[in-house]
Amino acid sequence: MKILNSTCDCYLAGSQTGTVKVFTGINTSPSESRSIGSSINDMDVLSNNSIVIGLGNGRIRLSVSSSSFSEINPAQGAVQSVSVLSNGYVACGYINGRIDIYNMATGSSLINFNHGSNINDLEAMPTNGELLSVATTSNFINRWDTSTGSIISQIDLGRDGFCLKLVDSNRVAAGLNNHEICIYDLNTGSLVKTLSGHSNRIRELEFISPTSTLISISEDNTVRRWNTADAS
């Protein structure tokens, strides 16, 4: 799932069967459906509302409409995560641990660097083109300068992390392999709050800023809503 705006009245849902559906409200039928032809691992949206899709077949698709698209084939294995950076470029993380920064307008890779293991999730910071990444067997959230490929800072999770979502410019939520969601201070790396309740892997996190609500989707077949207003 990918929320397209902060009021949560428009969002995307992608499936392992290769279909993207666009919804314009909760409990409504999809307003649009796009068949992709490969399992969808992640999606994000550019400023012009084009959809960037990371596919299980190793390709990156830029979908402008249901009938207009272009693709890049980096040949790095499955694209596990995609994230649109504040400078408009797109970060792509692969199953082999590599991260590429792409100019989607030209299809060119500007720089690449490596987290060292399977990339589970990428999350763009709101300024300076910075990027957060989390990967299997790494136990760290890496904060990257994407212009140089250098690590700015790290947060030690103490275990594998599966997904990330910014709560605000100073805090990030991480879904961990012990089924907990932990909120960390990005400046100090300290743990701010732990959210417990899921009984299986947390697949995705989304944040609705006006209500300070964090949404988590888990392999325990539940979707949970969390209040993060007191996590400071």
Side-chain angles (χ1 to χ4, degrees):
M1 181 181 71
K2 178 64 64 174
I3 295 173
L4 297 189
N5 59 49
S6 59
T7 59
C8 197
D9 60 5
C10 189
Y11 58 96
L12 300 175
S15 72
Q16 290 297 304
T17 59
T19 301
V20 176
K21 295 184 178 181
V22 182
F23 295 84
T24 55
I26 302 298
N27 298 323
T28 64
S29 298
S31 60
E32 185 181 343
S33 182
R34 305 181 188 182
S35 180
I36 304 302
S38 178
S39 60
I40 297 166
N41 289 338
D42 199 15
M43 298 179 291
D44 208 349
V45 183
L46 290 163
S47 58
N48 63 0
N49 288 329
S50 297
I51 305 169
V52 181
I53 307 168
L55 300 176
N57 65 6
R59 294 176 180 269
I60 304 158
R61 176 172 288 203
L62 180 64
S63 181
V64 179
S65 67
S66 58
S67 59
S68 177
F69 67 90
S70 59
E71 285 190 342
I72 300 170
N73 184 10
Q76 297 295 323
V79 183
Q80 301 290 80
S81 185
V82 294
S83 188
V84 176
L85 303 176
S86 60
N87 54 20
Y89 297 137
V90 175
C92 303
Y94 309 103
I95 197 168
N96 65 0
R98 173 165 150 162
I99 299 170
D100 271 326
I101 307 300
Y102 276 97
N103 180 338
M104 295 303 294
T106 63
S108 58
S109 175
L110 306 176
I111 191 172
N112 66 77
F113 39 93
N114 203 291
H115 195 127
S117 56
N118 175 31
I119 302 297
N120 285 329
D121 202 11
L122 302 174
E123 177 76 351
M125 293 290 289
T127 58
N128 301 324
E130 293 180 7
L131 179 71
L132 303 175
S133 67
V134 67
T136 302
T137 71
S138 166
N139 293 351
F140 287 94
I141 297 173
N142 285 355
R143 183 172 181 172
W144 300 91
D145 179 337
T146 59
S147 65
T148 63
S150 59
I151 296 174
I152 299 170
S153 61
Q154 293 182 307
I155 296 175
D156 188 353
L157 303 176
R159 60 186 70 247
D160 287 351
F162 291 132
C163 52
L164 297 171
K165 179 55 61 174
L166 284 176
V167 176
D168 53 39
S169 60
N170 295 311
R171 296 174 298 164
V172 64
L176 306 183
N177 70 354
N178 63 351
H179 314 147
E180 293 180 338
I181 302 167
C182 290
I183 299 177
Y184 294 91
D185 186 307
L186 281 166
N187 298 311
T188 65
S190 59
L191 177 64
V192 176
K193 187 173 185 177
T194 300
L195 305 173
S196 302
H198 282 299
S199 60
N200 207 332
R201 176 174 174 168
I202 300 163
R203 296 291 302 183
E204 189 164 358
L205 299 171
E206 287 291 344
F207 186 68
I208 308 173
S209 56
T211 58
S212 299
T213 300
L214 186 70
I215 298 173
S216 58
I217 302 172
S218 169
E219 290 181 0
D220 63 13
N221 297 320
T222 67
V223 177
R224 292 178 180 261
R225 293 164 62 95
W226 312 86
N227 180 17
T228 64
D230 59 348
S232 59

